[in-house]
Amino acid sequence: MVDYKPEVAAVCMAGWLREQLNVAEPGIVVRADRVRGAFVFEWGGPVGDLFTA
């Protein structure tokens, strides 16, 4: 099992950029999925999908 979650790093970086550089909110939604025992990340919003060109 790996503790590193790239999605969490992306959410943290987005928050840091917003605070430090006044960059627009990327529209990342995070919710707890108790059935799966994990967090679900929804990408989108004003910036779009972070992992597509």
Side-chain angles (χ1 to χ4, degrees):
M1 182 168 166
V2 177
D3 289 336
Y4 176 75
K5 301 287 186 194
E7 297 88 354
V8 174
V11 171
C12 292
M13 181 57 79
W16 183 85
L17 287 170
R18 187 186 72 248
E19 290 177 3
Q20 299 297 315
L21 304 175
N22 200 27
V23 175
E25 183 72 38
I28 301 170
V29 176
V30 182
R31 63 181 173 80
D33 184 337
R34 295 182 189 266
V35 174
R36 290 178 27 205
F39 290 97
V40 176
F41 295 83
E42 296 174 11
W43 308 96
V47 174
D49 189 340
L50 300 176
F51 297 107
T52 60

Coordinates of all heavy atoms in Angstrom, one line a residue:
M1 N 0.8 -1.2 0.0 CA 0.0 0.0 0.0 C 0.9 1.2 0.0 O 1.9 1.3 0.7 CB -0.9 0.0 1.2 CG -1.8 1.2 1.3 SD -3.1 0.9 2.5 CE -3.7 2.5 2.7
V2 N 0.5 2.2 -0.8 CA 1.3 3.4 -0.9 C 0.5 4.6 -0.3 O -0.7 4.7 -0.5 CB 1.5 3.7 -2.4 CG1 2.2 5.0 -2.6 CG2 2.2 2.6 -3.1
D3 N 1.2 5.4 0.5 CA 0.6 6.5 1.2 C 0.4 7.7 0.2 O -0.4 8.6 0.4 CB 1.4 7.0 2.4 CG 1.3 5.9 3.5 OD1 0.3 5.2 3.5 OD2 2.2 5.9 4.3
Y4 N 1.3 7.8 -0.8 CA 1.3 8.9 -1.7 C 0.0 8.8 -2.6 O -0.2 7.8 -3.3 CB 2.5 9.0 -2.6 CG 2.5 10.1 -3.6 CD1 2.7 11.4 -3.2 CD2 2.3 9.8 -4.9 CE1 2.7 12.4 -4.2 CE2 2.3 10.8 -5.9 CZ 2.5 12.1 -5.5 OH 2.4 13.1 -6.4
K5 N -0.7 9.9 -2.7 CA -1.9 10.0 -3.6 C -1.7 11.2 -4.5 O -1.7 12.3 -4.0 CB -3.2 10.1 -2.8 CG -3.5 9.0 -1.8 CD -3.9 7.8 -2.6 CE -4.3 6.7 -1.6 NZ -4.4 5.4 -2.2
P6 N -1.5 11.1 -5.8 CA -1.2 12.2 -6.6 C -2.4 13.2 -6.6 O -2.2 14.4 -6.8 CB -1.0 11.6 -8.0 CG -1.5 10.2 -8.0 CD -1.5 9.8 -6.5
E7 N -3.6 12.7 -6.4 CA -4.8 13.6 -6.4 C -4.7 14.6 -5.2 O -5.1 15.7 -5.4 CB -6.1 12.8 -6.3 CG -6.3 11.9 -7.5 CD -5.7 10.5 -7.4 OE1 -5.0 10.2 -6.4 OE2 -6.0 9.7 -8.3
V8 N -4.2 14.1 -4.1 CA -4.1 14.9 -2.9 C -3.0 16.0 -3.2 O -3.2 17.1 -2.8 CB -3.8 14.1 -1.7 CG1 -3.5 15.0 -0.5 CG2 -4.9 13.1 -1.4
A9 N -1.9 15.6 -3.8 CA -0.9 16.6 -4.1 C -1.4 17.6 -5.0 O -1.1 18.8 -4.9 CB 0.3 15.9 -4.8
A10 N -2.3 17.3 -6.0 CA -2.8 18.2 -6.9 C -3.8 19.2 -6.2 O -3.7 20.4 -6.5 CB -3.6 17.5 -8.1
V11 N -4.6 18.7 -5.3 CA -5.5 19.6 -4.5 C -4.7 20.5 -3.7 O -5.0 21.7 -3.6 CB -6.5 18.7 -3.7 CG1 -7.3 19.6 -2.7 CG2 -7.4 18.0 -4.6
C12 N -3.6 20.0 -3.0 CA -2.8 20.9 -2.2 C -2.1 22.0 -3.0 O -2.0 23.1 -2.6 CB -1.8 20.1 -1.4 SG -2.5 19.0 -0.2
M13 N -1.6 21.6 -4.2 CA -0.9 22.6 -5.0 C -1.9 23.6 -5.5 O -1.5 24.8 -5.6 CB -0.2 21.8 -6.2 CG 0.5 22.8 -7.1 SD 1.8 23.7 -6.3 CE 3.1 22.6 -6.2
A14 N -3.1 23.2 -5.9 CA -4.1 24.2 -6.3 C -4.4 25.2 -5.2 O -4.5 26.4 -5.5 CB -5.3 23.4 -6.8
G15 N -4.5 24.7 -4.0 CA -4.8 25.6 -2.9 C -3.6 26.5 -2.6 O -3.9 27.7 -2.4
W16 N -2.4 26.0 -2.7 CA -1.2 26.9 -2.5 C -1.2 28.0 -3.6 O -0.9 29.1 -3.3 CB 0.0 26.0 -2.5 CG 1.2 26.8 -2.2 CD1 1.7 27.2 -1.0 CD2 2.1 27.4 -3.2 NE1 2.9 27.9 -1.2 CE2 3.1 28.1 -2.5 CE3 2.2 27.4 -4.6 CZ2 4.2 28.7 -3.2 CZ3 3.2 28.0 -5.2 CH2 4.2 28.7 -4.5
L17 N -1.4 27.5 -4.9 CA -1.3 28.5 -6.0 C -2.4 29.6 -5.8 O -2.1 30.8 -6.0 CB -1.5 27.8 -7.3 CG -0.3 27.0 -7.8 CD1 -0.7 26.1 -9.0 CD2 0.9 27.9 -8.1
R18 N -3.6 29.2 -5.4 CA -4.7 30.2 -5.1 C -4.3 31.2 -4.1 O -4.4 32.4 -4.2 CB -5.9 29.4 -4.8 CG -7.1 30.4 -4.7 CD -8.4 29.7 -4.2 NE -8.3 29.4 -2.8 CZ -8.2 28.2 -2.2 NH1 -8.2 27.1 -2.9 NH2 -8.1 28.1 -0.9
E19 N -3.7 30.7 -3.0 CA -3.3 31.5 -1.8 C -2.1 32.4 -2.2 O -2.1 33.6 -1.8 CB -3.0 30.7 -0.6 CG -4.2 30.0 0.0 CD -3.8 29.1 1.2 OE1 -2.6 29.1 1.5 OE2 -4.7 28.5 1.7
Q20 N -1.1 31.9 -2.8 CA 0.1 32.6 -3.0 C 0.1 33.5 -4.3 O 0.7 34.6 -4.3 CB 1.3 31.6 -3.1 CG 1.5 30.8 -1.9 CD 1.9 31.7 -0.6 OE1 2.7 32.6 -0.7 NE2 1.2 31.4 0.5
L21 N -0.5 33.0 -5.3 CA -0.4 33.7 -6.6 C -1.8 34.3 -7.1 O -1.9 34.7 -8.2 CB 0.2 32.8 -7.7 CG 1.6 32.3 -7.3 CD1 2.0 31.3 -8.4 CD2 2.6 33.4 -7.1
N22 N -2.8 34.1 -6.3 CA -4.2 34.5 -6.6 C -4.6 33.9 -7.9 O -5.2 34.6 -8.8 CB -4.2 36.1 -6.7 CG -5.7 36.6 -6.6 OD1 -6.5 35.9 -6.0 ND2 -5.9 37.7 -7.1
V23 N -4.3 32.6 -8.1 CA -4.7 31.9 -9.3 C -6.2 31.4 -9.1 O -6.6 31.1 -8.0 CB -3.8 30.6 -9.5 CG1 -4.3 29.8 -10.7 CG2 -2.4 31.1 -9.7
A24 N -6.9 31.3 -10.2 CA -8.3 30.9 -10.1 C -8.5 29.5 -9.6 O -7.7 28.7 -9.8 CB -8.9 31.0 -11.5
E25 N -9.6 29.3 -8.9 CA -9.9 28.0 -8.3 C -10.2 27.0 -9.5 O -10.9 27.3 -10.4 CB -11.2 28.2 -7.5 CG -11.7 26.9 -6.8 CD -10.8 26.6 -5.6 OE1 -10.4 27.5 -4.9 OE2 -10.6 25.3 -5.5
P26 N -9.5 25.9 -9.4 CA -9.6 24.9 -10.6 C -10.9 24.1 -10.6 O -11.2 23.4 -11.5 CB -8.4 24.0 -10.4 CG -8.2 24.0 -8.9 CD -8.5 25.4 -8.5
G27 N -11.7 24.2 -9.6 CA -13.0 23.5 -9.6 C -12.9 22.0 -9.2 O -13.6 21.2 -9.7
I28 N -11.9 21.7 -8.3 CA -11.7 20.3 -7.9 C -12.7 20.0 -6.7 O -12.7 20.8 -5.8 CB -10.3 20.0 -7.4 CG1 -9.3 20.3 -8.6 CG2 -10.1 18.6 -6.9 CD1 -7.9 20.3 -8.1
V29 N -13.5 19.0 -6.8 CA -14.4 18.6 -5.8 C -13.9 17.3 -5.2 O -13.6 16.3 -5.9 CB -15.8 18.4 -6.3 CG1 -16.8 17.9 -5.3 CG2 -16.3 19.7 -7.0
V30 N -13.8 17.3 -3.8 CA -13.4 16.1 -3.1 C -14.5 15.6 -2.2 O -15.1 16.5 -1.5 CB -12.1 16.3 -2.3 CG1 -11.7 15.1 -1.6 CG2 -11.0 16.9 -3.2
R31 N -14.9 14.4 -2.2 CA -15.9 13.9 -1.3 C -15.5 12.5 -0.8 O -14.8 11.8 -1.5 CB -17.3 13.8 -2.0 CG -17.4 12.9 -3.2 CD -18.8 12.9 -3.8 NE -18.8 12.2 -5.0 CZ -18.9 10.8 -5.1 NH1 -19.0 10.1 -4.0 NH2 -18.9 10.2 -6.2
A32 N -16.0 12.2 0.4 CA -15.7 10.9 1.0 C -16.7 9.9 0.5 O -17.9 10.1 0.6 CB -15.7 11.0 2.5
D33 N -16.2 8.7 0.1 CA -17.0 7.6 -0.3 C -16.9 6.6 0.8 O -15.9 5.8 0.8 CB -16.6 7.1 -1.7 CG -17.5 6.0 -2.2 OD1 -18.2 5.3 -1.3 OD2 -17.5 5.7 -3.4
R34 N -17.8 6.5 1.7 CA -17.7 5.6 2.9 C -17.8 4.2 2.4 O -17.2 3.3 3.1 CB -18.7 6.0 3.9 CG -18.5 7.3 4.5 CD -19.5 7.7 5.6 NE -19.4 9.0 6.0 CZ -18.7 9.4 7.0 NH1 -18.0 8.6 7.7 NH2 -18.7 10.7 7.4
V35 N -18.5 3.9 1.4 CA -18.7 2.5 0.9 C -17.3 1.9 0.5 O -17.0 0.8 0.8 CB -19.7 2.4 -0.2 CG1 -19.8 1.0 -0.8 CG2 -21.1 2.8 0.3
R36 N -16.6 2.7 -0.3 CA -15.3 2.3 -0.9 C -14.2 2.6 0.1 O -13.1 2.1 -0.1 CB -15.0 3.0 -2.2 CG -15.9 2.6 -3.3 CD -15.7 3.3 -4.6 NE -14.4 3.8 -4.8 CZ -14.1 4.9 -5.6 NH1 -15.1 5.4 -6.3 NH2 -12.9 5.3 -5.8
G37 N -14.5 3.4 1.1 CA -13.4 3.7 2.1 C -12.3 4.6 1.5 O -11.1 4.4 1.8
A38 N -12.7 5.5 0.6 CA -11.7 6.3 -0.1 C -12.4 7.7 -0.4 O -13.5 7.9 -0.2 CB -11.3 5.7 -1.4
F39 N -11.5 8.6 -0.8 CA -12.0 9.9 -1.3 C -12.1 9.8 -2.8 O -11.4 9.2 -3.5 CB -11.0 11.0 -0.9 CG -11.0 11.3 0.6 CD1 -10.0 10.7 1.4 CD2 -12.0 12.1 1.1 CE1 -10.0 11.0 2.7 CE2 -12.0 12.3 2.5 CZ -11.0 11.8 3.3
V40 N -13.2 10.5 -3.3 CA -13.4 10.6 -4.7 C -13.2 12.0 -5.2 O -13.6 13.0 -4.6 CB -14.9 10.2 -5.0 CG1 -15.2 10.4 -6.5 CG2 -15.2 8.8 -4.6
F41 N -12.4 12.1 -6.2 CA -12.0 13.5 -6.8 C -12.7 13.7 -8.1 O -12.7 12.8 -8.9 CB -10.5 13.5 -7.0 CG -9.7 13.5 -5.7 CD1 -9.4 12.2 -5.1 CD2 -9.3 14.6 -5.1 CE1 -8.7 12.1 -3.9 CE2 -8.5 14.5 -3.9 CZ -8.3 13.3 -3.3
E42 N -13.3 14.8 -8.2 CA -14.0 15.2 -9.5 C -13.3 16.4 -10.0 O -13.2 17.4 -9.4 CB -15.5 15.5 -9.2 CG -16.3 14.3 -8.7 CD -17.7 14.7 -8.3 OE1 -18.2 15.8 -8.6 OE2 -18.3 13.8 -7.6
W43 N -12.7 16.2 -11.2 CA -12.0 17.3 -11.9 C -12.9 18.0 -12.8 O -13.7 17.4 -13.5 CB -10.8 16.7 -12.6 CG -10.0 15.8 -11.8 CD1 -10.1 14.4 -11.7 CD2 -9.0 16.2 -10.8 NE1 -9.2 14.0 -10.8 CE2 -8.5 15.0 -10.2 CE3 -8.4 17.4 -10.4 CZ2 -7.5 15.0 -9.3 CZ3 -7.4 17.4 -9.5 CH2 -7.0 16.2 -8.9
G44 N -12.7 19.3 -13.0 CA -13.5 20.1 -13.9 C -13.6 21.5 -13.5 O -12.7 22.0 -12.9
G45 N -14.7 22.1 -13.8 CA -14.9 23.5 -13.4 C -14.3 24.4 -14.4 O -14.1 24.0 -15.6
P46 N -13.9 25.6 -14.0 CA -13.5 26.6 -14.9 C -12.2 26.3 -15.7 O -12.0 26.7 -16.8 CB -13.3 27.9 -14.1 CG -13.2 27.4 -12.7 CD -13.9 26.1 -12.6
V47 N -11.3 25.5 -15.1 CA -10.0 25.1 -15.7 C -10.2 23.9 -16.6 O -9.5 23.8 -17.6 CB -9.0 24.9 -14.6 CG1 -7.7 24.4 -15.3 CG2 -8.7 26.2 -13.9
G48 N -11.1 23.0 -16.2 CA -11.2 21.7 -17.0 C -10.4 20.6 -16.4 O -9.9 20.7 -15.3
D49 N -10.4 19.5 -17.1 CA -9.6 18.3 -16.6 C -8.1 18.6 -16.7 O -7.6 19.0 -17.7 CB -10.0 17.1 -17.5 CG -9.4 15.9 -17.0 OD1 -8.5 15.9 -16.1 OD2 -10.0 14.8 -17.4
L50 N -7.5 18.5 -15.5 CA -6.1 18.8 -15.4 C -5.2 17.8 -16.1 O -4.0 18.1 -16.4 CB -5.7 18.8 -13.9 CG -6.4 19.8 -13.0 CD1 -6.0 19.6 -11.6 CD2 -6.2 21.2 -13.5
F51 N -5.7 16.6 -16.5 CA -4.8 15.6 -17.0 C -5.1 15.3 -18.5 O -4.6 14.3 -19.0 CB -5.0 14.3 -16.2 CG -4.5 14.5 -14.8 CD1 -5.5 14.6 -13.8 CD2 -3.2 14.7 -14.5 CE1 -5.1 14.7 -12.5 CE2 -2.8 14.9 -13.2 CZ -3.7 14.9 -12.2
T52 N -5.8 16.3 -19.2 CA -6.0 16.1 -20.6 C -5.5 17.4 -21.3 O -5.4 18.5 -20.7 CB -7.4 15.9 -21.0 OG1 -8.2 17.0 -20.5 CG2 -8.0 14.6 -20.4
A53 N -5.1 17.2 -22.5 CA -4.5 18.4 -23.3 C -5.7 19.2 -23.8 O -6.7 18.9 -24.0 CB -3.7 17.9 -24.4

